[in-house]
């Protein structure tokens, strides 16, 4: 009788946890390199050995309840106030009441101290300001601590034209005119092939990129503003690879993911070094062996690689991106691809590891590993 009850219990757990072991695995390639594509991997935790399955379920339930208890100890702060945004004084756009040309002192009077500094593709740092990913912005300074770059994907945009988060793309173009079709890097003019996911405008001696969310009726979802001199100093599409840039892109993609989760009222993911190493290994394998996919040349799935690295999980997902010039463009592209978006906005994930590698042309390969 006890054995029958045990079997029925296992069957019940297997049924109710089906969504945990049938997870989409997604990836994206920018449209200007090749057509984007995706596929799904199912039944990732199937195990033909009955006793091994029992052990696995016990381990996973232990991990699940531990993660649940950890999440209870870090409640979301609902008392953070959205700043009172005012129309910019000297430019078309401001973010969190900050404009290009402001000083670090001006910024930190508005935002407090940065939560993270990380190298970006312009050879300077993105400094991330937020309160547990609420009121999230990234600011780039020059050597004199003057603002030369700004980014946000939250409702912190003010404009003298009235453009704000949630506006339709056609309204943006009515106010700002025809977007740029090319951008010059060194002696090469690169075509801007955004597939309608963003527009680049040359305004106020700066390059302003407006990102759109195709899953929310092509409305404004984020903005990046880069000083013209900083943009022109970047004389190639891809910045020469370095360890500092690799770490910078990894942490930036992690922060961008959490800022998007906060925007959608979802729990914040914890950084996981173990998952980062697994992600880095896969990115490096793709970069060195010139392929792009979730299944490696040895036939291993993401979940095989996680198990091989002793990462225990009840549910997991992997996002891949290749060829984007920065984590910002990678993240915004992933958010516009439904399968990747589902991983980013999956309520049941607890941890995220981001691992990056560059190929010989300094093109970045991004791997995100999400899991509970």
């Amino acid at each position: 009788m006890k054995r029958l009850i045990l079997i029925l219990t296992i069957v019940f757990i297997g049924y109710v946890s089906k969504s945990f072991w049938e997870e989409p695995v997604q990836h994206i390639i920018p449209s200007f390199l090749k057509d984007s594509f995706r596929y799904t991997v199912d039944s990732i935790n199937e195990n033909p050995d009955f006793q091994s399955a029992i052990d696995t379920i016990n381990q996973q339930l232990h991990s699940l309840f531990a993660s649940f208890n950890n999440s209870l100890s870090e409640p979301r702060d609902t008392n953070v106030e959205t700043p009172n945004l005012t129309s910019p004084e000297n430019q078309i756009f401001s973010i969190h009441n900050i404009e290009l040309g402001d000083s670090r002192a001006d910024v930190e009077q508005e935002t407090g101290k940065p939560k993270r500094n990380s190298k970006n593709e312009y050879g300077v740092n993105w400094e991330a300001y937020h309160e547990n990913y609420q009121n999230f912005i990234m600011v780039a300074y020059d050597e004199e601590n003057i603002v030369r770059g700004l980014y946000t994907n939250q409702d912190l945009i003010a404009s003298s034209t009235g453009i704000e988060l949630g506006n339709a793309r056609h309204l943006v173009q009515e106010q700002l005119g025809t977007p740029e079709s090319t951008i010059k890097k060194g002696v090469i003019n690169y075509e801007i092939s955004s597939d309608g996911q963003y527009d680049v405008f040359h305004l106020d001696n700066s390059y302003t990129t407006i990102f759109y969310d195709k899953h929310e009726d092509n409305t404004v979802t984020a903005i990046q503003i880069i000083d013209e001199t900083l943009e022109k100093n970047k004389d190639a599409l891809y910045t020469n690879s370095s360890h500092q840039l690799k770490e910078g892109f990894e942490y930036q993609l992690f922060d961008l993911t959490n800022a998007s989760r906060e925007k959608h009222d979802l729990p914040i993911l914890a950084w996981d070094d173990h998952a980062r190493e697994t992600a880095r290994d896969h990115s490096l394998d793709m970069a060195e062996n010139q392929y792009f996919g979730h299944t490696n040349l040895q036939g291993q799935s993401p979940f095989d690689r996680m198990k091989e690295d002793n990462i225990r999980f009840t549910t997991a997902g992997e996002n891949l991106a290749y060829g984007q010039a920065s984590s910002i463009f990678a993240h915004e592209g992933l958010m516009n691809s439904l399968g990747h978006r589902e991983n980013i906005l999956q309520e049941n994930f607890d941890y995220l590891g981001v691992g990056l590698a560059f190929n010989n042309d300094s093109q970045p390969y991004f791997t995100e590993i999400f899991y509970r």
Side-chain angles (χ1 to χ4, degrees), residues 32-33 120-121 190 234-243 245-246 249 283 287-288 290 321-327 356-366:
F32 66 84
L33 291 176
N120 67 24
E121 68 276 18
Y190 290 92
K234 183 176 177 284
D235 59 2
L237 186 61
Y238 297 106
T239 303
N240 289 335
S241 60
S242 69
H243 180 73
L245 186 61
K246 178 173 74 171
F249 278 173
S283 290
E288 289 184 339
Q290 301 179 34
Y322 159 64
Q324 292 84 357
S326 74
S327 290
L356 187 116
F358 297 96
N359 66 12
N360 290 335
D361 297 318
S362 292
Q363 296 171 337
Y365 286 73
F366 301 86

Side-chain angles (χ1 to χ4, degrees), residues 18-36:
K18 185 181 180 189
S19 63
F20 292 166
W21 49 261
E22 286 192 348
E23 276 300 313
V25 174
Q26 303 296 339
H27 52 274
I28 185 168
I29 297 177
S31 59
F32 66 84
L33 291 176
K34 63 185 294 188
D35 292 336
S36 61

